[in-house]
Amino acid sequence: MSKASTSSDDDLVFLDESPVTPSGIGARHTKDVWRVMIVDDDADVHSATTFALSNLDIQQRPLEFVHAYSAGEARELLATETDIAVILLDVVMEQEDAGLQLVRHIREVLKLCEVRIILRTGQPGYAPEIDAIRDFDINDYKTKSELTRIKLYTTVTAAIRSYEQICAINASRRGLDCIVRASTELMALHGLDDFTSGVLAQAAKLLNQETNGVVCVQEHGADLNRELFIIAAAGTYSSLTKGATGSIRDARVADVLKRALGQRRNIYGTDSIALYLGSSANRDFAAMLDVRSPLNEIDQRLLEVFCRNIAVGLDNVLLVTRLENQAFYDPLTKLPNRTRLRELIDDALNTASRRDTTLALVDIDHFSETNDALGHQFGDLLLLGVAARLQAQLGSQLVVSRVGGDTFGVLGEAALVNPGVLLDLFASPFNIDSQEIQLSATAGLVRLSEYEGIGADALKDADIALKRAKLMQRAGHLFFTRSMGVDIRERVRMMHALRTAFDDKELFVVYQPQIDLATRRPVGAEALLRWKTRDGSFVPPDRFIPIAEFSGMIIEIGEQVLRQACLELVRLQSLGFSEFTMSVNVSQVQFRHPLFLNMLRQVLKETGAPASRVELEITESIAMEEPDVLIELLSQIKQTGVSIAIDDFGTGFSSLSYLQRLQADRLKIDRGFVTEITSASRGSSIAEMVIQLGRNLGMSVVAEGVEDERQASILEALGCPLAQGYLFARPMTVDQLTSWLKDNGAR
């Protein structure tokens, strides 16, 4: 371009536009100018171009020029220079295609995609315009002769506008990419504290600013001046403690946060911004960040998108937090629950600390009675009182949890998880709802140093120790031992085996005859349950009967035994044994079942057994429980015609007056007292008293476990009418009983 071409004729005037200056996301303008690089090997071209464009503003910003006099020099400058908006580039310089090769270097090597390139050539035939525009990313292609001052100004202005728009688009794209990455990183954070701290870091990163700010929460309510609470702080504010913003001396921070919360929008200031992060669970959230300068329109729009994403993420974090609280914390006491305690035990088992860690389960004695008597609301207050005391006394050093009901867990250093210390916490009364309540507790403990297993197993074993401690004595404690584990596992194994045996008909009934001592003739039999396994061995009744009672299977098993005994009674009567009586044992669990009486009536009806020849045996311990209820039930049973015998009489402590009210028909002398008849100087005393008592009350008496003739003679001399035992007959099957009865003259 010649100097003559720099006429000021026909200057163009553009409408005012608000310049967009990317200052955060991918910002490239560090000064308030447009930087233009002139690349030409002719110094006069540099002077003419500078003169033509000097003192002109484009988009209300002046131009600043960078000069290169060869393609090689331009390469060196572009490697370090930034914020070049437009390059006025000569095509032919040190080589005929130097300009075009520089374009390729700018785009492909330096990866400068935003800078606009205007090719100028004094040899228009060398590089055809269409091919150059098609093959190279250039903004315009002009011959130097046609670039008058006005046309040069127009071309540069169009290039700068294009550069500005591309910068804005790229800044938005980079900002959106940054927001997506920020959202992904924030979603990986757990808990409100970590998430809100991450929000500060990501917002600062988005704006290319230092992380100086706070995040606050405000409860919903009508009072717009209600207090704010800090939940995260960073940078110059990191010394602030979480809590009320009264600890912030700079009033502008609280003011800008309250404005954002009150207006529910972002507030953009000259040196700080407040971001409204949304509302969730009756709470509003906002963040404040310091900024170096006012934000441009792109940054503000990106922050709007960022805040909308954060609001969704915040909802998710709060939801996850609520779910975690419900999953891992007790809703009443807010203590860790059984699931969380199990995780903490697993953590302890996987570290060296297991060598010095103990788990304790502490159970409140008689809590259910207190709960029933004073109400569940009072019971909840009582549990809160216990939780508060345990937490206050132990929480700073140990893990305190509520594992369910009235049972609390304590985990930590063995020296501190001391059963004496734990139980002493219940020594002083609890003041609940203006009432003083005295409690005691029982503890089961597991030493993790002696333990092989996982957290769930440790909890089970601590529970086993607790149950054993409760069985032995209230307000005591037991440490779990391997023998306890063997016992419980054996019980579970036996339970499953018993169910299989019942289904496979391995359980069967045998009968032991009862004899009239005077005539030595059979008058009845006691039905007894036996278990013969597939390998031909027998499981003793004292092993499987308690398991059947504990598991509740005794209900089904007991009904089956009663039904078979009644069917056998009917069969024997059809064979002519009309005066024969069948005795059937009834366990405590059966007797307590609400449908027991209905079951008895149904069996009698279905089998056709004569009720007058059916006798139910109950233990003295059953007879001692809930006397009024038992008396009513026995009365209803007797109305069916069935008689009642009290088994193992003399082993309990029932009163005689109560015994008379039961209206039982027969007493059975326990085999232990029968054995003592011949082994002690006063061995017959109890047997004699039972016999005399039965006579006085008009009740028959049966002596169990008679094994020799001397015992039988003494019992007969004492006036005992009936007996059973190995002396007369062992328990036998149905076929054996029929033959035995025929041989022993029972008719």
Side-chain angles (χ1 to χ4, degrees):
M1 175 185 289
S2 67
K3 292 182 180 179
S5 67
T6 60
S7 170
S8 62
D9 295 340
D10 301 324
D11 286 353
L12 297 180
V13 178
F14 295 93
L15 294 175
D16 290 341
E17 294 184 13
S18 300
V20 177
T21 308
S23 60
I25 306 302
R28 292 194 177 271
H29 304 306
T30 56
K31 293 188 288 186
D32 199 18
V33 296
W34 299 115
R35 305 192 75 206
V36 177
M37 175 178 278
I38 303 171
V39 185
D40 202 297
D41 57 358
D42 187 344
D44 288 341
V45 172
H46 285 265
S47 299
T49 303
T50 304
F51 179 77
L53 296 177
S54 61
N55 300 319
L56 293 177
D57 286 349
I58 298 177
Q59 301 286 78
Q60 300 179 354
R61 294 164 64 180
L63 303 181
E64 179 182 275
F65 298 98
V66 178
H67 298 275
Y69 294 90
S70 68
E73 185 181 357
R75 291 189 184 202
E76 293 178 2
L77 286 172
L78 288 170
T80 57
E81 291 287 345
T82 59
D83 304 325
I84 301 297
V86 177
I87 298 176
L88 295 169
L89 175 61
D90 188 14
V91 175
V92 180
M93 289 179 285
E94 57 262 54
Q95 285 98 24
E96 291 182 344
D97 64 344
L100 296 179
Q101 292 301 322
L102 180 58
V103 173
R104 189 183 304 277
H105 179 77
I106 290 170
R107 299 306 190 201
E108 296 179 1
V109 178
L110 299 180
K111 304 295 184 182
L112 299 178
C113 61
E114 295 168 349
V115 61
R116 297 294 85 203
I117 301 174
I118 300 171
L119 288 179
R120 298 192 296 182
T121 182
Q123 305 175 34
Y126 177 75
E129 294 183 16
I130 293 177
D131 292 343
I133 293 172
R134 182 191 62 208
D135 297 337
F136 298 94
D137 179 15
I138 62 175
N139 201 67
D140 208 345
Y141 187 179
K142 300 289 184 182
T143 61
K144 293 180 180 180
S145 61
E146 69 176 308
L147 280 176
T148 63
R149 183 172 187 265
I150 291 176
K151 289 183 178 179
L152 179 60
Y153 180 72
T154 302
T155 300
V156 172
T157 300
I160 286 176
R161 284 183 169 177
S162 176
Y163 169 76
E164 184 180 29
Q165 291 170 353
I166 292 172
C167 285
I169 292 170
N170 287 342
S172 297
R173 177 181 55 78
R174 285 188 291 270
L176 292 174
D177 287 344
C178 186
I179 290 172
V180 170
R181 288 193 300 271
S183 299
T184 302
E185 292 178 15
L186 288 172
M187 285 301 99
L189 300 176
H190 300 287
L192 185 61
D193 291 350
D194 289 344
F195 183 84
T196 50
S197 295
V199 167
L200 290 175
Q202 294 294 345
K205 183 178 179 182
L206 184 67
L207 298 173
N208 194 25
Q209 305 271 350
E210 294 180 359
T211 309
N212 297 312
V214 297
V215 178
C216 291
V217 62
Q218 186 180 60
E219 298 293 331
H220 284 183
D223 183 7
L224 296 180
N225 294 318
R226 58 196 183 279
E227 200 167 23
L228 305 178
F229 289 88
I230 298 172
I231 52 178
T236 57
Y237 301 95
S238 59
S239 60
L240 298 176
T241 56
K242 294 179 182 178
T245 54
S247 57
I248 302 177
R249 296 183 179 179
D250 190 347
R252 70 180 180 88
V253 175
D255 178 64
V256 72
L257 285 166
K258 287 181 179 179
R259 285 171 55 205
L261 289 166
Q263 299 174 27
R264 295 198 169 202
R265 67 179 182 87
N266 295 348
I267 305 295
Y268 302 104
T270 57
D271 58 356
S272 66
I273 59 171
L275 305 177
Y276 179 68
L277 303 180
S279 175
S280 180
N282 299 319
R283 291 177 292 177
D284 285 324
F285 296 86
M288 190 285 300
L289 280 169
D290 288 340
V291 293
R292 291 186 295 267
S293 60
L295 302 185
N296 61 44
E297 184 180 356
I298 290 179
D299 287 342
Q300 292 183 20
R301 289 179 179 177
L302 288 171
L303 281 174
E304 298 293 337
V305 176
F306 177 77
C307 290
R308 285 195 290 272
N309 278 13
I310 294 305
V312 173
L314 192 58
D315 278 341
N316 291 337
V317 168
L318 293 173
L319 175 61
V320 170
T321 300
R322 287 196 296 272
L323 291 175
E324 286 182 347
N325 285 337
Q326 292 174 2
F328 297 109
Y329 292 87
D330 174 53
L332 176 65
T333 63
K334 310 307 179 187
L335 293 174
N337 61 12
R338 189 182 190 93
T339 303
R340 180 58 181 149
L341 180 60
R342 184 186 64 208
E343 289 186 343
L344 295 172
I345 298 170
D346 283 332
D347 292 343
L349 287 170
N350 291 326
T351 62
S353 63
R354 67 180 297 168
R355 294 194 299 268
D356 192 38
T357 301
T358 294
L359 166 67
L361 294 184
V362 181
D363 188 85
I364 303 172
D365 296 332
H366 308 293
F367 176 78
S368 59
E369 291 90 332
T370 303
N371 207 29
D372 293 341
L374 300 178
H376 294 285
Q377 185 175 359
F378 186 88
D380 287 347
L381 293 175
L382 189 57
L383 290 172
L384 286 170
V386 172
R389 183 177 293 184
L390 291 174
Q391 186 71 10
Q393 297 294 325
L394 307 173
S396 61
Q397 299 170 295
L398 303 171
V399 174
V400 177
S401 63
R402 183 187 178 206
V403 298
D406 58 339
T407 304
F408 293 84
V410 180
L411 177 71
E413 186 179 342
L416 300 175
V417 186
N418 183 293
V421 173
L422 294 177
L423 301 183
D424 282 347
L425 293 176
F426 294 84
S428 57
F430 292 82
N431 193 307
I432 307 297
D433 200 17
S434 301
Q435 298 184 54
E436 284 200 347
I437 304 296
Q438 183 65 60
L439 298 176
S440 64
T442 304
L445 303 96
V446 171
R447 296 183 180 94
L448 298 190
S449 60
E450 303 173 357
Y451 188 74
E452 296 294 336
I454 61 175
D457 294 332
L459 276 169
K460 290 178 183 178
D461 290 346
D463 198 47
I464 291 171
L466 175 63
K467 285 183 169 60
R468 288 291 183 91
K470 279 189 168 291
L471 287 174
M472 293 178 60
Q473 56 176 343
R474 302 265 183 180
H477 73 275
L478 278 179
F479 279 90
F480 176 79
T481 62
R482 293 184 182 276
S483 62
M484 291 182 189
V486 171
D487 289 347
I488 194 66
R489 282 188 285 273
E490 174 63 19
R491 176 180 290 185
V492 172
R493 188 199 66 77
M494 179 71 75
M495 192 183 305
H496 290 298
L498 181 60
R499 167 55 64 184
T500 302
F502 180 71
D503 293 338
D504 294 348
K505 302 188 181 337
E506 292 180 8
L507 302 179
F508 62 98
V509 180
V510 294
Y511 304 89
Q512 185 173 35
Q514 295 175 335
I515 305 300
D516 184 321
L517 282 175
T519 64
R520 299 298 173 98
R521 292 169 63 87
V523 295
E526 179 182 2
L528 300 169
L529 185 63
R530 293 292 183 265
W531 177 3
K532 185 178 182 180
T533 63
R534 291 182 179 180
D535 62 6
S537 61
F538 284 87
V539 181
D542 59 358
R543 284 188 61 198
F544 73 83
I545 293 296
I547 299 297
E549 292 178 331
F550 175 79
S551 64
M553 281 190 285
I554 195 66
I555 303 299
E556 292 179 80
I557 295 172
E559 179 178 352
Q560 185 183 72
V561 171
L562 178 62
R563 189 178 301 276
Q564 290 184 11
C566 287
L567 289 172
E568 176 61 12
L569 176 62
V570 171
R571 192 182 72 85
L572 290 175
Q573 288 214 327
S574 67
L575 295 176
F577 302 105
S578 57
E579 301 299 317
F580 198 82
T581 298
M582 187 66 71
S583 295
V584 181
N585 290 282
V586 179
S587 79
Q588 191 173 19
V589 177
Q590 284 178 273
F591 217 61
R592 286 178 174 177
H593 196 275
L595 298 180
F596 174 76
L597 186 61
N598 291 339
M599 182 274 293
L600 173 63
R601 290 170 176 160
Q602 187 69 20
V603 169
L604 291 174
K605 179 180 179 181
E606 291 177 0
T607 61
S612 60
R613 289 298 171 184
V614 176
E615 180 180 75
L616 300 182
E617 295 187 11
I618 63 174
T619 63
E620 188 177 5
S621 59
I622 295 178
M624 292 169 59
E625 289 194 2
E626 300 182 288
D628 293 334
V629 175
L630 180 64
I631 290 170
E632 175 62 25
L633 179 58
L634 291 180
S635 175
Q636 292 176 317
I637 290 174
K638 289 182 68 66
Q639 288 175 16
T640 67
V642 173
S643 58
I644 301 293
I646 298 179
D647 197 11
D648 301 332
F649 188 77
T651 59
F653 302 95
S654 55
S655 67
L656 298 182
S657 60
Y658 172 51
L659 180 63
Q660 190 172 13
R661 291 177 59 201
L662 289 178
Q663 299 182 356
D665 300 285
R666 184 176 298 177
L667 298 177
K668 298 193 74 174
I669 304 174
D670 184 77
R671 66 178 63 250
F673 301 133
V674 172
T675 302
E676 291 177 354
I677 288 177
T678 57
S679 62
S681 58
R682 301 182 61 183
S684 65
S685 299
I686 295 179
E688 184 176 2
M689 285 191 298
V690 174
I691 295 168
Q692 185 63 41
L693 178 63
R695 185 183 299 116
N696 293 340
L697 295 178
M699 301 168 67
S700 177
V701 177
V702 180
E704 292 185 295
V706 180
E707 296 185 356
D708 57 48
E709 190 61 48
R710 187 180 177 195
Q711 291 173 346
S713 299
I714 295 174
L715 287 168
E716 184 180 1
L718 292 174
C720 182
L722 305 174
Q724 67 184 83
Y726 287 178
L727 172 63
F728 311 110
R730 291 176 176 271
M732 56 191 74
T733 64
V734 169
D735 295 336
Q736 291 171 335
L737 177 63
T738 303
S739 299
W740 188 89
L741 289 175
K742 290 178 179 178
D743 293 342
N744 287 272
R747 291 292 177 186

